[in-house]
Amino acid sequence: KAGVTQTPRYLIKTRGQQVTLSCSPISGHRSVSWYQQTPGQGLQFLFEYFSETQRNKGNFPGRFSGRQFSNSRSEMNVSTLELGDSALYLCASALTSGRIGEQFFGPGTRLTVL
Amino acid sequence: GESVGLHLPTLSVQEGDNSIINCAYSNSASDYFIWYKQESGKGPQFIIDIRSNMDKRQGQRVTVLLNKTVKHLSLQIAATQPGDSAVYFCAEIPFSGGYNKLIFGAGTRLAVHP
C-alpha cells in the first residue's frame, strides 16, 4: 500500500509569512504526528492528532498549529515565520494512538525561511 | 540529498564488519525504545524496537541491547553493508508521554567503506 505522502516537498518563504504543510497518512491509519528536524536541535516532536483531536503537544510556540480532517489527512501551519523555522518537517502515521505501534514517516517537507 | 545533521558523530566501518551504535537515553520512566534509520532525502525508517522489560532483542542482522541501570541502548548490525550507510537514531517513549510521542536522540552517522 502507499506510504505517507507529504506536500510540498520543498518550500521557500520569507520572514513574517505563514505556511501550511500537508500530510496524507497510510490508508487506515488514524494517528498523525508531526516532527521538526534541524541540524542543531535534531528531531523534535510537534504534536499528534488522532480522530481529528490533538492528543499530544510538544514544546513549540503557538505559531505552530495543526489540524486533522475526517479522512485522517493532516495539515500543520506555521504563522509569522522566523529564520529559525527553517527545517525538515516530517509527519508520521500510525494505526492507533491507544497503544504502542510502529510509526511510518513520510519523506518530509523542506522549509527554507529567508 | 538533504543533510540531516552536519555535526553528528560518525562511525566508520569496513564492509563486512560488525557495527555497534550507542545511545544514552534520558528518561528512566521510558518503557519503549526504537531504533530508526534515516537515509539522505528520506524520513526515518523503523529498524527494531524493545520494551523496557527486555534486555535484548534480535532481528534480521540487527540486535538491540538495553541496559536500564545506566540508561543505555545499543544497536548492533552484523556484516555491515554499504546499504547500511545512513544516520541512526534511537527514540524513547516515556510511559506517560503518549504512545506516539517519540523523543529522539541526536543520531549517529554510519559510513560503510567497501
Side-chain angles (χ1 to χ4, degrees):
Chain A
K1 55 185 166 182
V4 178
T5 57
Q6 292 187 245
T7 56
R9 290 294 312 277
Y10 301 90
L11 206 47
I12 299 174
K13 293 285 188 178
T14 56
R15 279 183 299 174
Q17 288 187 309
Q18 74 164 16
V19 67
T20 299
L21 311 181
S22 180
C23 171
S24 292
I26 291 171
S27 178
H29 285 195
R30 295 168 63 191
S31 166
V32 175
S33 300
W34 288 89
Y35 293 82
Q36 181 196 63
Q37 186 172 29
T38 60
Q41 299 297 318
L43 278 152
Q44 293 187 290
F45 174 83
L46 280 155
F47 28 65
E48 181 205 3
Y49 285 88
F50 180 79
S51 293
E52 302 177 65
T53 302
Q54 188 180 88
R55 295 292 293 265
N56 277 298
K57 193 175 188 308
N59 297 322
F60 279 82
R63 299 184 298 107
F64 292 81
S65 63
R67 60 177 175 168
Q68 187 180 34
F69 302 94
S70 58
N71 62 358
S72 294
R73 190 177 69 85
S74 177
E75 290 181 346
M76 69 162 281
N77 184 77
V78 188
S79 62
T80 319
L81 284 165
E82 300 177 1
L83 295 179
D85 297 333
S86 293
L88 182 66
Y89 290 88
L90 294 156
C91 86
S93 80
L95 198 57
T96 183
S97 181
R99 60 178 176 85
I100 293 171
E102 184 175 345
Q103 293 188 57
F104 296 83
F105 283 83
T109 293
R110 169 69 64 184
L111 171 65
T112 302
V113 182
L114 302 176
Chain B
E2 296 136 355
S3 170
V4 300
L6 298 177
H7 305 293
L8 293 173
T10 298
L11 174 65
S12 293
V13 300
Q14 290 294 124
E15 181 179 358
D17 286 351
N18 296 334
S19 303
I20 299 177
I21 301 172
N22 297 303
C23 174
Y25 63 92
S26 57
N27 192 335
S28 57
S30 292
D31 69 346
Y32 185 63
F33 305 88
I34 313 167
W35 279 99
Y36 283 92
K37 171 186 180 182
Q38 187 174 24
E39 297 173 284
S40 183
K42 298 183 179 179
Q45 178 186 1
F46 175 94
I47 301 173
I48 191 168
D49 59 2
I50 188 169
R51 286 189 176 270
S52 60
N53 61 354
M54 303 170 68
D55 296 323
K56 178 180 179 178
R57 191 167 186 218
Q58 287 184 292
Q60 187 178 12
R61 280 202 309 119
V62 294
T63 301
V64 54
L65 299 177
L66 175 63
N67 185 330
K68 295 182 288 294
T69 302
V70 294
K71 293 192 287 186
H72 183 267
L73 199 64
S74 69
L75 176 71
Q76 300 177 358
I77 304 173
T80 314
Q81 303 168 0
D84 295 327
S85 293
V87 177
Y88 289 80
F89 294 95
C90 65
E92 60 186 294
I93 296 182
F95 182 74
S96 60
Y99 289 117
N100 288 330
K101 181 178 180 179
L102 296 169
I103 298 174
F104 283 89
T108 297
R109 189 181 305 278
L110 177 65
V112 182
H113 304 285

